[in-house]
């Protein structure tokens, strides 16, 4: 029996996250892998510590979770429903790079897919992008999707 393979996809509601999902699903159709969509809302839990949190700190976590599911995750799952690929979704609070690295390790993902750009180009310039950070630290093949 073939070993279970999991592709982890970082999504943030941007067109690049959608393209990363498209690429992961396309490859998963060929390899029989499962696709896991992961979105992370930056949140320190105590006080704003990043530019992203200062600019758009969610006032209510439950409302933000519902919005992320309905506006980011659910449309991507629906788009690829007919693909035959098993697609699951996760929502997390925290620092995106830290959460994604942890989930990749815990779930033993064999490949990660990330859009080359995310929702905030300014934050990418100031803080370093999620894609760049993951590419240098996850220890598995990472696909940076343009």
């Amino acid at each position: 029996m073939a070993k279970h393979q999991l592709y982890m996809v970082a999504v943030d509601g941007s067109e690049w996250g959608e393209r990363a999902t498209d690429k992961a699903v396309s490859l998963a159709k060929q390899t029989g892998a499962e696709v896991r969509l992961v979105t992370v809302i930056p949140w320190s839990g105590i006080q704003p510590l990043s530019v992203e949190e200062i600019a758009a700190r969610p006032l209510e976590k439950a409302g933000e979770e519902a919005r992320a599911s309905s506006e980011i995750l659910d449309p991507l799952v629906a788009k690829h429903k007919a693909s035959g690929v098993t697609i699951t979704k996760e929502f997390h609070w925290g620092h995106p790079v830290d959460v994604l690295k942890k989930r990749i390790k815990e779930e033993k993902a064999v490949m990660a897919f990330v859009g080359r750009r995310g929702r905030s180009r300014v934050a990418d310039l100031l803080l370093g992008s999620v894609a760049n950070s993951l590419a240098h630290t996850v220890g598995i093949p990472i696909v940076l999707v343009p």
Side-chain angles (χ1 to χ4, degrees):
M1 181 174 193
K3 181 181 173 184
H4 171 76
Q5 292 190 357
L6 175 66
Y7 298 159
M8 192 82 61
V9 185
V11 295
D12 63 358
S14 69
E15 65 184 274
W16 294 276
E18 183 173 354
R19 283 190 226 145
T21 302
D22 296 346
K23 186 58 117 177
V25 170
S26 176
L27 187 58
K29 283 175 75 170
Q30 298 171 34
T31 63
E34 176 184 338
V35 171
R36 174 92 34 92
L37 305 177
V38 181
T39 193
V40 181
I41 299 296
W43 181 269
S44 67
I46 301 170
Q47 61 183 10
L49 297 177
S50 71
V51 172
E52 290 171 327
E53 288 178 317
I54 292 167
R57 180 132 174 130
L59 297 177
E60 186 199 320
K61 289 177 99 174
E64 188 65 17
E65 289 175 12
R67 184 202 66 77
S69 185
S70 68
E71 294 179 15
I72 298 172
L73 296 168
D74 294 344
L76 292 172
V77 171
K79 178 180 179 180
H80 295 287
K81 186 176 183 178
S83 69
V85 173
T86 300
I87 302 171
T88 56
K89 59 185 181 173
E90 294 182 4
F91 176 88
H92 297 278
W93 293 94
H95 186 273
V97 173
D98 294 339
V99 171
L100 290 163
K101 283 178 15 182
K102 180 180 178 187
R103 295 304 297 144
I104 286 167
K105 183 178 180 180
E106 288 174 348
E107 295 296 321
K108 297 178 176 49
V110 298
M111 193 176 299
F113 293 77
V114 184
R116 186 176 51 84
R117 283 235 180 249
R119 294 178 81 182
S120 174
R121 290 182 183 166
V122 172
D124 284 354
L125 291 173
L126 295 174
L127 302 172
S129 73
V130 170
N132 186 45
S133 296
L134 288 175
H136 291 92
T137 61
V138 295
I140 61 171
I142 184 166
V143 178
L144 299 177
V145 181

